[in-house]
Structures are given as structure tokens and as C-alpha cells.
Amino acid sequence: MKSCPLCNGLEEFETYCTNCGNHMENVGRAVDYHSDYSPYLDYQITNTVDGIDTSNQNNICVHLFICPNCSHDMTKVIEEI
């Protein structure tokens, strides 16, 4: 079974804000912000509502990044290893 290297602290991912160029912070899986209980649900279940229909089949995890300077946010697809 594959797992997300960001969720498990195995790797770091750097991305920069398209608005101001500042370093963006990884705030976790995007689906964790859908409801109060989302972070506690099984990944196989929450991956079905992450906006990508084939997350489970393609072994990807969608992370949310927020700029601490201008509050711009964006999602990035992370490949599971």
C-alpha cells in the first residue's frame, strides 16, 4: 500500500505563491477542511471527495498550501510512494 510522503513526514514540498512570490506553507490534505470530522475519516473514503475522481486508483493525495504573506491558497497533487 502506498502512502503520501507529506502526510507521513517523509518529504517536504516547496512551492511559491503566484501572487506575491512568498514561500507557501503546507497545511495538510485539502479534504481535511471539508468538515470537522474529515481529518478522522479513512483516506480511502475522503479521497472520493477531493475533487479528483481517480485519487485512489492513481495513488495521489491533494494538499492545500497557503501563503502566510497574502493568504492566497492553492492545491497541489502529491504522488504517493
Side-chain angles (χ1 to χ4, degrees), residues 1-8 10 29 42-44 47 54-61 78-81:
M1 169 143 198
K2 295 187 176 192
S3 62
C4 176
L6 297 187
C7 289
N8 292 291
L10 301 173
R29 294 181 342 126
D42 184 77
Y43 280 23
Q44 298 296 319
N47 279 351
T54 58
S55 292
N56 286 329
Q57 295 88 346
N58 293 335
N59 298 312
I60 56 174
C61 188
I78 308 298
E79 290 187 37
E80 295 177 341
I81 55 173

Side-chain angles (χ1 to χ4, degrees), residues 10-60:
L10 301 173
E11 293 179 7
E12 291 188 21
F13 184 84
E14 289 192 20
T15 191
Y16 295 91
C17 182
T18 56
N19 283 344
C20 69
N22 198 46
H23 182 265
M24 297 187 81
E25 295 178 1
N26 174 20
V27 294
R29 294 181 342 126
V31 295
D32 288 350
Y33 293 89
H34 285 219
S35 75
D36 292 341
Y37 296 103
S38 292
Y40 306 104
L41 297 173
D42 184 77
Y43 280 23
Q44 298 296 319
I45 294 170
T46 56
N47 279 351
T48 62
V49 294
D50 67 3
I52 300 175
D53 294 336
T54 58
S55 292
N56 286 329
Q57 295 88 346
N58 293 335
N59 298 312
I60 56 174

